Coordinates of all heavy atoms in Angstrom, one line a residue:
M23 N -2.6 -4.6 -13.4 CA -1.5 -5.2 -12.7 C -1.8 -5.6 -11.4 O -2.3 -4.9 -10.6 CB -0.3 -4.1 -12.8 CG 0.9 -4.5 -12.1 SD 2.2 -3.3 -12.0 CE 2.7 -3.2 -13.8
K24 N -1.5 -6.9 -11.1 CA -1.7 -7.4 -9.8 C -0.4 -7.6 -9.0 O 0.5 -8.2 -9.6 CB -2.5 -8.7 -9.9 CG -3.0 -9.3 -8.5 CD -3.9 -10.4 -8.8 CE -4.6 -10.9 -7.4 NZ -5.5 -12.0 -7.7
I25 N -0.4 -7.1 -7.8 CA 0.8 -7.1 -7.0 C 0.5 -8.0 -5.8 O -0.4 -7.7 -4.9 CB 1.2 -5.7 -6.4 CG1 1.3 -4.7 -7.6 CG2 2.5 -5.7 -5.7 CD1 2.3 -5.0 -8.7
D26 N 1.2 -9.1 -5.7 CA 1.0 -10.0 -4.4 C 2.0 -9.5 -3.4 O 3.2 -9.6 -3.6 CB 1.4 -11.4 -4.9 CG 1.3 -12.4 -3.7 OD1 1.1 -12.0 -2.6 OD2 1.5 -13.6 -4.0
L27 N 1.5 -8.8 -2.4 CA 2.3 -8.2 -1.4 C 3.2 -9.2 -0.7 O 4.3 -8.9 -0.2 CB 1.5 -7.5 -0.3 CG 1.1 -6.1 -0.6 CD1 0.5 -5.4 0.6 CD2 2.2 -5.3 -1.2
S28 N 2.9 -10.5 -0.7 CA 3.7 -11.5 0.0 C 5.1 -11.6 -0.7 O 6.0 -12.2 -0.1 CB 3.0 -12.9 0.1 OG 2.8 -13.5 -1.2
K29 N 5.2 -11.1 -1.9 CA 6.5 -11.1 -2.6 C 7.5 -10.3 -1.8 O 8.7 -10.4 -2.0 CB 6.3 -10.5 -4.0 CG 5.4 -11.3 -4.9 CD 6.1 -12.2 -5.7 CE 5.2 -12.9 -6.7 NZ 5.5 -14.2 -7.1
F30 N 7.0 -9.3 -1.0 CA 7.8 -8.5 -0.2 C 8.0 -9.1 1.3 O 8.6 -8.5 2.1 CB 7.3 -7.1 -0.1 CG 7.2 -6.4 -1.4 CD1 5.9 -6.2 -2.0 CD2 8.3 -6.1 -2.1 CE1 5.8 -5.6 -3.2 CE2 8.2 -5.4 -3.4 CZ 7.0 -5.2 -3.9
G31 N 7.2 -10.2 1.5 CA 7.3 -10.8 2.8 C 5.8 -11.0 3.4 O 4.9 -10.4 2.9
T32 N 5.7 -11.8 4.3 CA 4.4 -12.0 5.0 C 4.2 -11.1 6.2 O 3.1 -11.0 6.8 CB 4.1 -13.5 5.3 OG1 5.1 -13.9 6.2 CG2 4.0 -14.3 4.0
T33 N 5.4 -10.7 6.8 CA 5.4 -9.7 7.9 C 6.0 -8.5 7.4 O 7.2 -8.3 7.3 CB 6.3 -10.4 9.0 OG1 5.6 -11.6 9.3 CG2 6.2 -9.5 10.2
L34 N 5.1 -7.5 7.2 CA 5.5 -6.1 6.6 C 5.5 -5.1 7.7 O 4.5 -4.6 8.1 CB 4.6 -5.8 5.5 CG 4.4 -6.9 4.4 CD1 3.3 -6.5 3.5 CD2 5.7 -7.2 3.7
V35 N 6.7 -4.9 8.3 CA 6.7 -4.1 9.5 C 7.6 -2.8 9.6 O 7.4 -2.1 10.6 CB 7.2 -5.0 10.7 CG1 6.2 -6.1 10.9 CG2 8.6 -5.6 10.5
S36 N 8.5 -2.5 8.8 CA 9.3 -1.3 9.0 C 9.2 -0.3 7.9 O 9.0 -0.7 6.7 CB 10.8 -1.8 9.2 OG 11.3 -2.1 8.0
R37 N 9.5 0.9 8.2 CA 9.5 2.0 7.2 C 10.5 1.7 6.1 O 10.2 1.9 5.0 CB 9.7 3.3 7.9 CG 8.5 3.9 8.5 CD 8.7 5.3 8.9 NE 7.4 5.8 9.5 CZ 6.4 6.2 8.9 NH1 6.4 6.3 7.6 NH2 5.3 6.5 9.5
P38 N 11.8 1.4 6.5 CA 12.8 1.2 5.5 C 12.3 0.1 4.5 O 12.5 0.2 3.3 CB 14.1 0.8 6.2 CG 13.9 1.4 7.6 CD 12.4 1.3 7.8
S39 N 11.8 -1.0 5.0 CA 11.4 -2.1 4.0 C 10.2 -1.7 3.2 O 10.1 -2.1 2.0 CB 11.2 -3.5 4.7 OG 10.1 -3.4 5.5
G40 N 9.3 -0.9 3.7 CA 8.1 -0.5 3.0 C 8.6 0.5 1.9 O 8.1 0.4 0.7
K41 N 9.5 1.4 2.2 CA 10.0 2.3 1.2 C 10.8 1.6 0.1 O 10.6 1.9 -1.0 CB 10.9 3.4 1.9 CG 11.4 4.4 0.9 CD 12.1 5.6 1.7 CE 12.4 6.6 0.6 NZ 12.2 8.0 1.3
E42 N 11.5 0.6 0.5 CA 12.3 -0.3 -0.4 C 11.3 -1.0 -1.4 O 11.5 -1.0 -2.6 CB 13.2 -1.2 0.3 CG 14.1 -2.1 -0.7 CD 14.9 -3.0 0.2 OE1 15.4 -2.6 1.2 OE2 15.1 -4.1 -0.4
A43 N 10.3 -1.5 -0.8 CA 9.2 -2.2 -1.6 C 8.6 -1.2 -2.6 O 8.3 -1.6 -3.8 CB 8.2 -2.9 -0.7
F44 N 8.2 -0.1 -2.1 CA 7.6 0.9 -3.0 C 8.5 1.3 -4.2 O 8.1 1.4 -5.3 CB 7.2 2.2 -2.2 CG 6.7 3.3 -3.1 CD1 5.3 3.1 -3.7 CD2 7.3 4.4 -3.4 CE1 4.8 4.1 -4.6 CE2 6.8 5.4 -4.3 CZ 5.6 5.2 -4.8
L45 N 9.8 1.6 -3.9 CA 10.7 1.9 -4.9 C 10.9 0.8 -6.0 O 11.0 1.0 -7.1 CB 12.1 2.3 -4.3 CG 12.1 3.6 -3.4 CD1 13.4 3.8 -2.8 CD2 11.7 4.8 -4.4
A46 N 10.8 -0.5 -5.5 CA 11.0 -1.6 -6.4 C 9.7 -1.7 -7.3 O 9.8 -1.9 -8.5 CB 11.1 -2.9 -5.6
L47 N 8.5 -1.4 -6.7 CA 7.3 -1.5 -7.4 C 7.2 -0.3 -8.4 O 6.7 -0.5 -9.5 CB 6.1 -1.4 -6.5 CG 4.7 -1.3 -7.1 CD1 4.5 -2.6 -7.9 CD2 3.7 -1.1 -6.1
K48 N 7.7 0.9 -8.0 CA 7.6 2.0 -8.8 C 8.3 1.8 -10.2 O 7.8 2.3 -11.2 CB 8.4 3.2 -8.1 CG 8.1 4.5 -8.6 CD 8.8 5.6 -7.7 CE 8.6 6.9 -8.3 NZ 9.2 8.0 -7.5
T49 N 9.4 1.1 -10.3 CA 10.0 0.8 -11.6 C 9.0 -0.1 -12.4 O 9.0 0.1 -13.7 CB 11.3 0.1 -11.4 OG1 11.1 -1.2 -10.8 CG2 12.3 0.9 -10.7
L50 N 8.3 -1.0 -11.9 CA 7.3 -1.7 -12.6 C 6.1 -0.9 -13.2 O 5.6 -1.2 -14.2 CB 6.7 -2.9 -11.8 CG 7.7 -4.0 -11.3 CD1 7.0 -4.9 -10.3 CD2 8.2 -4.7 -12.5
L51 N 5.8 0.1 -12.3 CA 4.6 0.9 -12.7 C 4.9 1.8 -14.0 O 3.9 2.4 -14.4 CB 4.2 1.7 -11.5 CG 3.6 0.9 -10.4 CD1 3.4 1.8 -9.2 CD2 2.4 0.1 -10.7
T52 N 6.1 1.9 -14.4 CA 6.3 2.8 -15.6 C 5.7 2.1 -16.8 O 5.4 2.8 -17.8 CB 7.8 2.9 -15.8 OG1 8.4 1.6 -15.9 CG2 8.5 3.7 -14.7
N53 N 5.4 0.8 -16.7 CA 4.7 0.1 -17.8 C 3.3 0.0 -17.7 O 2.5 -0.6 -18.5 CB 5.3 -1.3 -17.9 CG 6.8 -1.4 -18.2 OD1 7.3 -0.5 -18.9 ND2 7.4 -2.3 -17.6
L54 N 2.7 0.8 -16.7 CA 1.2 0.7 -16.5 C 0.5 1.3 -17.6 O 0.8 2.5 -18.1 CB 0.9 1.5 -15.2 CG -0.5 1.3 -14.5 CD1 -0.7 -0.1 -14.1 CD2 -0.7 2.2 -13.4
K55 N -0.5 0.7 -18.1 CA -1.4 1.2 -19.2 C -2.4 2.3 -18.7 O -2.7 2.2 -17.4 CB -2.1 0.1 -19.8 CG -1.2 -0.9 -20.5 CD -2.0 -2.1 -21.2 CE -1.0 -3.1 -21.9 NZ -0.5 -4.0 -21.0
T56 N -2.9 3.1 -19.4 CA -3.7 4.2 -19.0 C -4.9 3.7 -18.2 O -5.2 4.3 -17.2 CB -4.2 5.0 -20.3 OG1 -3.1 5.4 -21.0 CG2 -5.0 6.2 -19.8
N57 N -5.6 2.7 -18.7 CA -6.8 2.3 -17.9 C -6.5 1.1 -17.0 O -7.5 0.6 -16.4 CB -7.9 2.0 -19.0 CG -8.3 3.1 -19.8 OD1 -8.3 4.2 -19.3 ND2 -8.7 2.9 -21.0
E58 N -5.3 0.8 -16.8 CA -5.0 -0.4 -16.0 C -5.1 -0.1 -14.5 O -4.6 1.0 -14.0 CB -3.6 -0.9 -16.3 CG -3.3 -2.2 -15.7 CD -1.9 -2.8 -16.2 OE1 -1.2 -2.0 -17.0 OE2 -1.6 -3.9 -15.9
K59 N -5.7 -1.0 -13.7 CA -5.8 -0.9 -12.3 C -4.6 -1.5 -11.7 O -3.8 -2.3 -12.2 CB -7.0 -1.6 -11.7 CG -8.3 -1.1 -12.2 CD -8.7 0.0 -11.5 CE -10.1 0.5 -11.9 NZ -10.5 1.8 -11.4
I60 N -4.2 -1.0 -10.5 CA -3.1 -1.6 -9.7 C -3.8 -2.3 -8.5 O -4.3 -1.8 -7.6 CB -2.2 -0.5 -9.1 CG1 -1.6 0.3 -10.2 CG2 -1.1 -1.1 -8.2 CD1 -1.0 1.6 -9.8
E61 N -3.8 -3.7 -8.6 CA -4.5 -4.5 -7.6 C -3.5 -5.0 -6.6 O -2.5 -5.7 -7.0 CB -5.1 -5.7 -8.3 CG -6.3 -5.3 -9.3 CD -6.8 -6.5 -10.0 OE1 -6.1 -7.4 -10.4 OE2 -8.1 -6.5 -10.2
I62 N -3.7 -4.6 -5.3 CA -2.8 -5.0 -4.2 C -3.4 -6.1 -3.5 O -4.5 -5.9 -2.9 CB -2.5 -3.8 -3.3 CG1 -2.0 -2.6 -4.1 CG2 -1.5 -4.2 -2.2 CD1 -0.7 -2.7 -4.9
D63 N -2.8 -7.3 -3.6 CA -3.4 -8.5 -2.9 C -2.6 -8.8 -1.6 O -1.5 -9.0 -1.5 CB -3.2 -9.7 -3.9 CG -3.9 -10.9 -3.4 OD1 -4.5 -10.9 -2.3 OD2 -3.8 -11.9 -4.2
F64 N -3.5 -8.7 -0.5 CA -3.0 -9.0 0.8 C -3.2 -10.4 1.3 O -3.1 -10.7 2.5 CB -3.9 -8.1 1.8 CG -3.5 -6.6 1.7 CD1 -4.2 -5.8 0.8 CD2 -2.5 -6.0 2.5 CE1 -3.9 -4.5 0.7 CE2 -2.2 -4.7 2.3 CZ -2.9 -3.9 1.4
S65 N -3.6 -11.4 0.4 CA -4.1 -12.7 0.8 C -3.1 -13.4 1.6 O -3.5 -14.2 2.5 CB -4.5 -13.5 -0.4 OG -3.4 -13.7 -1.3
K66 N -1.8 -13.3 1.4 CA -0.8 -14.1 2.1 C -0.1 -13.3 3.2 O 0.8 -13.8 3.9 CB 0.2 -14.7 1.2 CG -0.4 -15.6 0.2 CD 0.6 -16.1 -0.8 CE -0.2 -16.8 -2.0 NZ 0.6 -16.9 -3.2
V67 N -0.6 -12.0 3.5 CA 0.1 -11.2 4.5 C -0.4 -11.5 5.9 O -1.6 -11.7 6.1 CB -0.2 -9.7 4.1 CG1 0.3 -8.8 5.3 CG2 0.5 -9.3 2.8
I68 N 0.5 -11.7 6.8 CA 0.1 -12.1 8.2 C 0.1 -10.9 9.1 O -0.8 -10.6 9.8 CB 1.1 -13.2 8.7 CG1 1.0 -14.4 7.9 CG2 0.8 -13.4 10.3 CD1 2.0 -15.4 8.2
V69 N 1.2 -10.0 9.0 CA 1.4 -8.8 9.7 C 1.6 -7.6 8.8 O 2.4 -7.7 7.9 CB 2.5 -8.9 10.8 CG1 2.6 -7.6 11.6 CG2 2.2 -10.1 11.7
F70 N 0.8 -6.6 9.0 CA 0.9 -5.4 8.2 C 0.8 -4.1 9.1 O -0.2 -3.9 9.6 CB -0.3 -5.4 7.2 CG -0.3 -4.3 6.1 CD1 0.7 -4.2 5.2 CD2 -1.4 -3.5 6.0 CE1 0.6 -3.2 4.3 CE2 -1.5 -2.4 5.1 CZ -0.4 -2.3 4.2
T71 N 1.9 -3.5 9.2 CA 2.0 -2.3 10.2 C 1.8 -1.0 9.5 O 2.0 -0.8 8.3 CB 3.3 -2.3 11.0 OG1 4.3 -2.1 10.1 CG2 3.5 -3.6 11.7
P72 N 1.3 0.0 10.2 CA 1.1 1.3 9.7 C 2.4 2.0 9.1 O 2.4 2.6 8.1 CB 0.6 2.1 10.9 CG -0.1 1.1 11.7 CD 0.7 -0.1 11.6
S73 N 3.6 1.7 9.8 CA 4.8 2.3 9.3 C 5.2 1.7 7.9 O 5.5 2.5 7.0 CB 5.9 2.0 10.3 OG 6.1 0.5 10.5
W74 N 5.0 0.5 7.7 CA 5.3 -0.1 6.4 C 4.3 0.4 5.3 O 4.6 0.8 4.2 CB 5.2 -1.7 6.4 CG 5.8 -2.4 5.2 CD1 7.1 -2.9 5.1 CD2 5.2 -2.6 3.9 NE1 7.3 -3.5 3.9 CE2 6.1 -3.4 3.2 CE3 4.0 -2.4 3.4 CZ2 6.0 -3.8 1.9 CZ3 3.8 -2.8 2.1 CH2 4.7 -3.5 1.3
A75 N 3.0 0.4 5.7 CA 1.9 0.8 4.8 C 2.1 2.3 4.4 O 1.8 2.7 3.3 CB 0.6 0.6 5.5
D76 N 2.5 3.1 5.4 CA 2.7 4.5 5.1 C 3.7 4.8 4.1 O 3.6 5.7 3.3 CB 3.0 5.3 6.4 CG 2.8 6.8 6.2 OD1 1.9 7.2 5.5 OD2 3.7 7.5 6.8
E77 N 4.8 4.0 4.0 CA 5.8 4.1 3.0 C 5.4 3.4 1.7 O 6.0 3.8 0.6 CB 7.1 3.4 3.5 CG 7.7 4.1 4.8 CD 8.2 5.6 4.4 OE1 8.5 5.9 3.3 OE2 8.3 6.4 5.4
F78 N 4.5 2.5 1.7 CA 4.1 1.8 0.4 C 2.8 2.2 -0.1 O 2.6 2.7 -1.2 CB 4.2 0.3 0.6 CG 3.9 -0.5 -0.5 CD1 5.0 -0.9 -1.3 CD2 2.7 -1.0 -0.9 CE1 4.9 -1.7 -2.4 CE2 2.5 -1.7 -2.0 CZ 3.5 -2.1 -2.8
I79 N 1.7 2.1 0.7 CA 0.3 2.4 0.3 C 0.1 3.9 0.1 O -0.5 4.3 -0.9 CB -0.7 1.7 1.2 CG1 -0.5 0.2 1.3 CG2 -2.1 2.1 0.8 CD1 -0.9 -0.5 0.1
T80 N 0.5 4.7 1.0 CA 0.3 6.1 1.0 C 0.8 6.7 -0.3 O 0.0 7.4 -1.0 CB 0.8 6.8 2.2 OG1 0.2 6.3 3.4 CG2 0.6 8.3 2.2
P81 N 2.1 6.6 -0.7 CA 2.5 7.2 -1.9 C 1.8 6.6 -3.1 O 1.6 7.3 -4.1 CB 4.0 7.0 -1.9 CG 4.3 5.9 -1.0 CD 3.1 5.9 0.0
L82 N 1.5 5.3 -3.1 CA 0.8 4.7 -4.2 C -0.5 5.3 -4.5 O -0.9 5.7 -5.6 CB 0.7 3.2 -3.9 CG 0.4 2.2 -5.0 CD1 1.5 2.3 -6.1 CD2 0.3 0.8 -4.5
I83 N -1.3 5.5 -3.4 CA -2.6 6.2 -3.5 C -2.5 7.6 -3.9 O -3.3 8.1 -4.7 CB -3.5 5.9 -2.2 CG1 -3.8 4.4 -2.1 CG2 -4.7 6.8 -2.2 CD1 -4.5 4.0 -0.9
K84 N -1.5 8.3 -3.3 CA -1.3 9.7 -3.7 C -1.0 9.9 -5.2 O -1.4 10.8 -5.8 CB -0.2 10.4 -2.8 CG -0.6 10.7 -1.5 CD 0.5 11.4 -0.7 CE 0.0 11.7 0.7 NZ 1.1 12.3 1.5
T85 N -0.2 8.9 -5.7 CA 0.2 9.0 -7.1 C -0.9 8.5 -8.0 O -1.2 9.1 -9.1 CB 1.5 8.2 -7.3 OG1 2.5 8.7 -6.5 CG2 1.9 8.4 -8.8
Y86 N -1.5 7.4 -7.7 CA -2.4 6.7 -8.6 C -3.9 6.7 -8.2 O -4.7 6.3 -9.1 CB -2.0 5.2 -8.9 CG -0.6 5.1 -9.5 CD1 0.5 5.0 -8.7 CD2 -0.5 5.3 -10.9 CE1 1.8 5.0 -9.3 CE2 0.8 5.3 -11.4 CZ 1.9 5.1 -10.6 OH 3.2 5.1 -11.2
G87 N -4.2 7.2 -7.1 CA -5.6 7.4 -6.7 C -6.5 6.2 -6.8 O -6.2 5.1 -6.4
K88 N -7.6 6.4 -7.5 CA -8.6 5.4 -7.7 C -8.2 4.2 -8.6 O -8.9 3.2 -8.6 CB -9.9 5.9 -8.2 CG -10.5 7.0 -7.2 CD -11.9 7.3 -7.6 CE -12.5 8.4 -6.7 NZ -13.0 7.9 -5.5
K89 N -7.0 4.2 -9.2 CA -6.5 3.1 -9.9 C -6.0 2.0 -9.0 O -5.9 0.8 -9.3 CB -5.3 3.5 -10.7 CG -5.6 4.2 -12.0 CD -4.4 4.4 -12.9 CE -4.8 4.9 -14.2 NZ -3.7 4.7 -15.1
V90 N -5.9 2.4 -7.7 CA -5.4 1.4 -6.7 C -6.6 0.6 -6.1 O -7.5 1.2 -5.6 CB -4.6 2.1 -5.5 CG1 -4.1 1.0 -4.5 CG2 -3.4 2.9 -6.1
V91 N -6.5 -0.7 -6.2 CA -7.6 -1.6 -5.7 C -7.0 -2.5 -4.7 O -6.0 -3.2 -5.0 CB -8.3 -2.3 -6.8 CG1 -9.4 -3.3 -6.3 CG2 -8.8 -1.5 -7.9
L92 N -7.5 -2.5 -3.4 CA -7.0 -3.4 -2.4 C -7.9 -4.7 -2.3 O -9.1 -4.6 -2.2 CB -7.1 -2.7 -1.0 CG -6.4 -1.3 -1.0 CD1 -6.5 -0.7 0.3 CD2 -5.0 -1.4 -1.4
L93 N -7.2 -5.8 -2.5 CA -7.8 -7.1 -2.5 C -7.5 -8.0 -1.2 O -6.4 -7.9 -0.7 CB -7.4 -7.9 -3.8 CG -7.5 -7.2 -5.1 CD1 -6.9 -8.1 -6.2 CD2 -9.0 -7.0 -5.4
N94 N -8.5 -8.8 -0.8 CA -8.3 -9.7 0.3 C -7.7 -9.1 1.5 O -6.7 -9.4 2.1 CB -7.2 -10.9 -0.2 CG -7.8 -11.6 -1.4 OD1 -8.9 -12.1 -1.4 ND2 -7.0 -11.7 -2.5
T95 N -8.5 -8.1 2.0 CA -8.1 -7.3 3.1 C -8.8 -7.8 4.5 O -9.0 -7.1 5.4 CB -8.5 -5.9 2.9 OG1 -9.9 -5.7 2.7 CG2 -7.8 -5.3 1.8
E96 N -9.2 -9.1 4.5 CA -10.0 -9.6 5.6 C -9.1 -9.8 6.9 O -9.6 -9.7 8.0 CB -10.5 -11.0 5.3 CG -11.6 -11.0 4.2 CD -10.9 -11.0 2.8 OE1 -9.8 -11.3 2.7 OE2 -11.6 -10.7 1.9
N97 N -7.8 -9.9 6.7 CA -6.9 -10.1 7.9 C -7.1 -8.9 8.8 O -7.1 -7.7 8.4 CB -5.5 -10.1 7.4 CG -4.4 -10.2 8.4 OD1 -4.3 -9.4 9.3 ND2 -3.6 -11.2 8.4
L98 N -7.2 -9.1 10.1 CA -7.5 -8.0 11.1 C -6.3 -7.0 11.2 O -6.5 -5.8 11.3 CB -7.7 -8.6 12.5 CG -9.0 -9.4 12.6 CD1 -9.1 -9.9 14.0 CD2 -10.2 -8.5 12.3
S99 N -5.1 -7.5 11.0 CA -3.9 -6.6 10.9 C -4.0 -5.7 9.7 O -3.7 -4.5 9.9 CB -2.6 -7.4 10.9 OG -1.4 -6.6 10.8
V100 N -4.4 -6.2 8.7 CA -4.5 -5.4 7.4 C -5.6 -4.4 7.6 O -5.5 -3.2 7.3 CB -4.8 -6.3 6.2 CG1 -5.2 -5.4 5.0 CG2 -3.6 -7.2 5.9
Q101 N -6.8 -4.8 8.1 CA -7.9 -3.9 8.4 C -7.6 -2.8 9.3 O -7.9 -1.6 9.1 CB -9.1 -4.7 8.9 CG -9.7 -5.6 7.9 CD -10.9 -6.4 8.4 OE1 -11.3 -6.3 9.6 NE2 -11.5 -7.2 7.6
A102 N -6.9 -3.1 10.4 CA -6.6 -2.1 11.4 C -5.6 -1.0 10.8 O -5.8 0.1 11.0 CB -5.9 -2.7 12.6
T103 N -4.6 -1.5 10.1 CA -3.7 -0.6 9.4 C -4.4 0.3 8.4 O -4.0 1.5 8.3 CB -2.4 -1.4 8.9 OG1 -1.7 -2.0 10.0 CG2 -1.5 -0.5 8.0
L104 N -5.2 -0.3 7.6 CA -5.8 0.5 6.5 C -6.7 1.6 7.2 O -6.8 2.7 6.7 CB -6.7 -0.4 5.6 CG -5.8 -1.3 4.7 CD1 -6.6 -2.2 3.9 CD2 -4.8 -0.5 3.8
K105 N -7.3 1.2 8.3 CA -8.2 2.2 9.0 C -7.3 3.3 9.6 O -7.7 4.5 9.4 CB -8.9 1.5 10.2 CG -9.8 2.4 11.0 CD -10.5 1.7 12.1 CE -11.4 2.7 12.8 NZ -11.8 2.2 14.2
I106 N -6.2 3.0 10.1 CA -5.3 4.0 10.7 C -4.8 5.0 9.5 O -4.8 6.2 9.6 CB -4.0 3.4 11.3 CG1 -4.5 2.8 12.6 CG2 -2.9 4.4 11.6 CD1 -3.5 1.9 13.3
L107 N -4.5 4.4 8.4 CA -4.0 5.2 7.2 C -5.1 6.1 6.7 O -4.9 7.3 6.4 CB -3.6 4.2 6.0 CG -2.2 3.7 6.1 CD1 -2.0 2.9 4.8 CD2 -1.2 4.6 6.4
K108 N -6.4 5.6 6.7 CA -7.5 6.4 6.2 C -7.7 7.5 7.2 O -7.9 8.7 6.8 CB -8.7 5.5 6.1 CG -9.9 6.3 5.6 CD -11.1 5.4 5.4 CE -12.3 6.2 4.9 NZ -13.6 5.5 5.0
E109 N -7.7 7.3 8.5 CA -7.9 8.3 9.5 C -6.8 9.4 9.4 O -7.0 10.5 9.6 CB -8.1 7.7 10.9 CG -9.3 6.9 11.1 CD -9.3 6.1 12.4 OE1 -8.3 6.0 13.1 OE2 -10.4 5.5 12.6
S110 N -5.6 8.9 9.2 CA -4.5 9.8 9.2 C -4.6 10.7 7.9 O -4.2 11.9 8.0 CB -3.2 9.0 9.1 OG -2.1 9.8 9.0
A111 N -5.0 10.2 6.8 CA -5.2 11.0 5.6 C -6.3 12.0 5.7 O -6.3 13.1 5.2 CB -5.4 10.0 4.4
E112 N -7.3 11.7 6.5 CA -8.5 12.6 6.7 C -8.2 13.6 7.8 O -8.9 14.7 7.8 CB -9.7 11.8 7.1 CG -10.2 10.9 5.9 CD -11.3 9.9 6.3 OE1 -11.6 9.8 7.5 OE2 -11.8 9.3 5.4
A113 N -7.2 13.4 8.6 CA -7.0 14.3 9.7 C -6.4 15.6 9.2 O -5.5 15.5 8.3 CB -6.1 13.7 10.8
P114 N -6.8 16.8 9.7 CA -6.2 18.0 9.3 C -4.7 18.0 9.8 O -4.4 17.4 10.8 CB -7.0 19.1 10.0 CG -7.7 18.4 11.1 CD -7.8 16.9 10.7
E115 N -3.9 18.6 9.0 CA -2.5 18.8 9.3 C -2.4 19.5 10.7 O -3.0 20.6 10.8 CB -1.6 19.4 8.2 CG -1.6 18.5 7.0 CD -0.6 19.0 6.0 OE1 0.4 19.7 6.3 OE2 -0.9 18.9 4.8
S116 N -1.5 19.2 11.5 CA -1.3 19.9 12.8 C -0.6 21.3 12.5 O 0.2 21.4 11.6 CB -0.4 19.1 13.7 OG 0.8 18.9 13.2
Q117 N -1.0 22.2 13.3 CA -0.5 23.6 13.1 C 0.5 23.8 14.2 O 0.2 23.5 15.4 CB -1.6 24.6 13.2 CG -2.6 24.4 12.1 CD -2.1 24.7 10.7 OE1 -1.4 25.7 10.5 NE2 -2.5 24.0 9.7
G118 N 1.7 24.3 13.9 CA 2.6 24.7 15.0 C 2.1 25.9 15.7 O 1.5 26.8 15.2
T119 N 2.4 26.0 17.0 CA 1.9 27.1 17.9 C 3.1 27.8 18.4 O 4.2 27.4 18.6 CB 1.0 26.6 19.0 OG1 1.7 25.6 19.8 CG2 -0.3 26.0 18.4

């Protein structure tokens, strides 16, 4: 299944819209076949912020793992945000003192 992120806009900037986009996509994913990949295409995205990505990409990867394939990530905004998400996922959870 290929998802053109520009269907959600070319400027992806807020947590509420990222969450709304994920919920809309989630209904489509109920038809996902066992061996089918989820290809996320960034080709027409101009701005991609960590807040939007955290609401959309993070739960997608937590749920579907290696089935998620990111395409056309050359945009610097996309690259920077994906780097932040990766670093955030690798960071140990903070401990309250």
Side-chain angles (χ1 to χ4, degrees):
M23 174 180 293
K24 189 170 187 176
I25 309 300
D26 178 357
L27 275 191
S28 69
K29 300 265 185 210
F30 301 108
T32 57
T33 304
L34 307 172
V35 295
S36 73
R37 281 192 181 277
S39 70
K41 185 172 188 139
E42 183 179 324
F44 176 72
L45 293 174
L47 177 64
K48 196 173 175 183
T49 61
L50 294 174
L51 294 175
T52 58
N53 299 324
L54 191 68
K55 295 178 180 87
T56 305
N57 296 328
E58 190 174 7
K59 298 280 185 191
I60 303 166
E61 298 176 321
I62 307 297
D63 186 359
F64 290 89
S65 62
K66 298 173 191 160
V67 172
I68 298 168
V69 177
F70 184 60
T71 63
S73 57
W74 196 96
D76 193 39
E77 294 294 335
F78 186 88
I79 299 291
T80 300
L82 197 59
I83 290 175
K84 282 183 180 178
T85 305
Y86 296 97
K88 295 193 185 279
K89 284 187 168 198
V90 179
V91 178
L92 306 178
L93 305 173
N94 301 307
T95 60
E96 297 83 14
N97 176 304
L98 293 178
S99 178
V100 171
Q101 289 179 0
T103 292
L104 293 175
K105 181 180 178 196
I106 290 167
L107 283 187
K108 183 178 180 192
E109 290 170 354
S110 176
E112 293 172 352
E115 292 186 32
S116 61
Q117 300 291 321
T119 56

